Amino acid sequence: MGISEFEDEYEAEDAHKITGAILTEPIRVLEPKAPVCVRPGTTLRQAIDAMNAVKAGCLLVTEGDRLLGILTERDILREVVGKMDLEERVEQAMTPDPETVTLDEGIAFALSKMHVGGFRHIPVVDERKRPVGVVSVRDFVRFIVALFPSAVLNLPPEPALGVSRTPGGA
């Protein structure tokens, strides 16, 4: 078997492993983080402080156990900075009634929703639609890297330092 045939076979196995995992695994394997939640009436300043305190890329706006909306870093950059006073209410900048997924829905389903909607965070809800977590693009990347930790984490610091792909190393 030539080097290119070996690489083709190796890449096909990797692609199959990634595709299989994405198509068959539920959201719960991503171990969604607990959501950062604020109530209606919270100021944008308080919401931003809450996000910064736990280094979260988003927070959920909830009333009781009901999800009302999501506020993300992107919302803050696009809707708040230079446009709104930080003492305004979080409802003014949040995305109301966001798309959600459950712990038992598939990773591919969540990725599809996020891709079509153009967002990087999605709330995870239970069977009663109560928020129980949030998953982000970073969680999906962590999942894929976990499928091939040595192949990904042992790469050289610069691509040019990588292993030659030509026979004889030329």
Side-chain angles (χ1 to χ4, degrees):
M1 176 183 295
I3 281 205
S4 63
E5 292 171 14
F6 173 77
E7 287 176 352
D8 288 346
E9 182 65 26
Y10 181 72
E11 289 172 9
E13 287 178 27
D14 287 351
H16 181 69
K17 186 174 182 180
I18 291 170
T19 302
I22 289 172
L23 291 176
T24 61
E25 295 293 338
I27 292 297
R28 75 176 57 254
V29 303
L30 299 177
E31 299 175 352
K33 293 174 189 71
V36 177
C37 297
V38 297
R39 295 168 32 143
T42 300
T43 67
L44 288 168
R45 181 180 315 279
Q46 292 168 324
I48 292 167
D49 288 345
M51 289 170 65
N52 285 333
V54 296
K55 298 179 181 174
C58 72
L59 59 76
L60 304 181
V61 180
T62 58
E63 189 160 45
D65 60 3
R66 191 171 73 109
L67 177 63
L68 301 177
I70 186 171
L71 180 73
T72 68
E73 296 164 320
R74 186 185 289 178
D75 294 329
I76 293 166
L77 288 173
R78 290 184 175 173
E79 305 299 325
V80 176
V81 175
K83 298 178 183 178
M84 298 177 83
D85 186 299
L86 294 182
E87 298 310 314
E88 289 191 50
R89 294 165 40 131
V90 71
E91 297 94 315
Q92 300 303 114
M94 74 178 191
T95 300
D97 301 314
E99 292 281 341
T100 62
V101 292
T102 66
L103 288 169
D104 294 321
E105 288 177 325
I107 288 174
F109 183 67
L111 282 170
S112 175
K113 279 188 168 190
M114 293 170 77
H115 174 73
V116 170
F119 39 86
R120 295 178 278 186
H121 298 88
I122 190 164
V124 181
V125 296
D126 66 13
E127 63 282 346
R128 293 180 49 207
K129 305 290 184 199
R130 297 176 299 193
V132 295
V134 173
V135 291
S136 69
V137 170
R138 181 176 289 178
D139 297 317
F140 296 105
V141 170
R142 185 174 27 88
F143 174 74
I144 292 168
V145 169
L147 295 173
F148 308 98
S150 62
V152 175
L153 300 175
N154 290 324
L155 289 172
E158 296 290 331
L161 299 176
V163 178
S164 173
R165 292 193 175 266
T166 58

